[in-house]
Amino acid sequence: MNAESTFARLICPNLGCVDAAEDSEDETWRWSALCAQSDPDEFFPDKPGRGGSVQAKRVCARCPVSAECLDFALTNHEEYGIWGGKTRRERRTLRSTRAVAAS
């Protein structure tokens, strides 16, 4: 399974399904994520030939659930893609900052 399909599955696991009742209550934010309505390639700028994170970050800046998305990515140590408007490197820095603050 590639990173793009993993991302799509995590954001909208029931994409194309009518019944969203299977989503757990704490992850219903996924249905409001603007990235689910965008080109998934925009959210994986780490791959060669991709244009960087600018467009993905613009989508995230307008997204009503970017905080929930970022929290999910930090909690689950997501390695690929733009989550909550942050790149892999930015998320790594945030995790380090959180770890230092917690100690």
Side-chain angles (χ1 to χ4, degrees), residues 56-102:
K57 287 184 172 202
R58 286 181 184 154
V59 172
C60 293
R62 297 187 330 263
C63 186
V65 293
S66 62
E68 291 89 340
C69 179
L70 178 58
D71 186 56
F72 176 86
L74 292 171
T75 300
N76 292 288
H77 300 279
E78 287 296 332
E79 288 295 317
Y80 301 101
I82 305 297
W83 290 79
K86 303 294 182 195
T87 63
R88 173 177 47 173
R89 186 171 285 157
E90 291 167 333
R91 290 191 308 273
R92 189 178 313 132
T93 300
L94 285 172
R95 277 194 297 273
S96 296
T97 303
R98 282 184 173 185
V100 169

Side-chain angles (χ1 to χ4, degrees), residues 23-73:
D23 265 352
S24 64
E25 284 297 314
D26 61 340
E27 293 182 9
T28 56
W29 59 268
R30 293 176 177 182
W31 294 101
S32 299
L34 293 181
C35 59
Q37 304 163 23
S38 303
D39 180 2
D41 287 344
E42 294 174 356
F43 294 87
F44 293 92
D46 298 340
K47 289 192 169 189
R50 301 260 170 96
S53 61
V54 174
Q55 184 59 31
K57 287 184 172 202
R58 286 181 184 154
V59 172
C60 293
R62 297 187 330 263
C63 186
V65 293
S66 62
E68 291 89 340
C69 179
L70 178 58
D71 186 56
F72 176 86

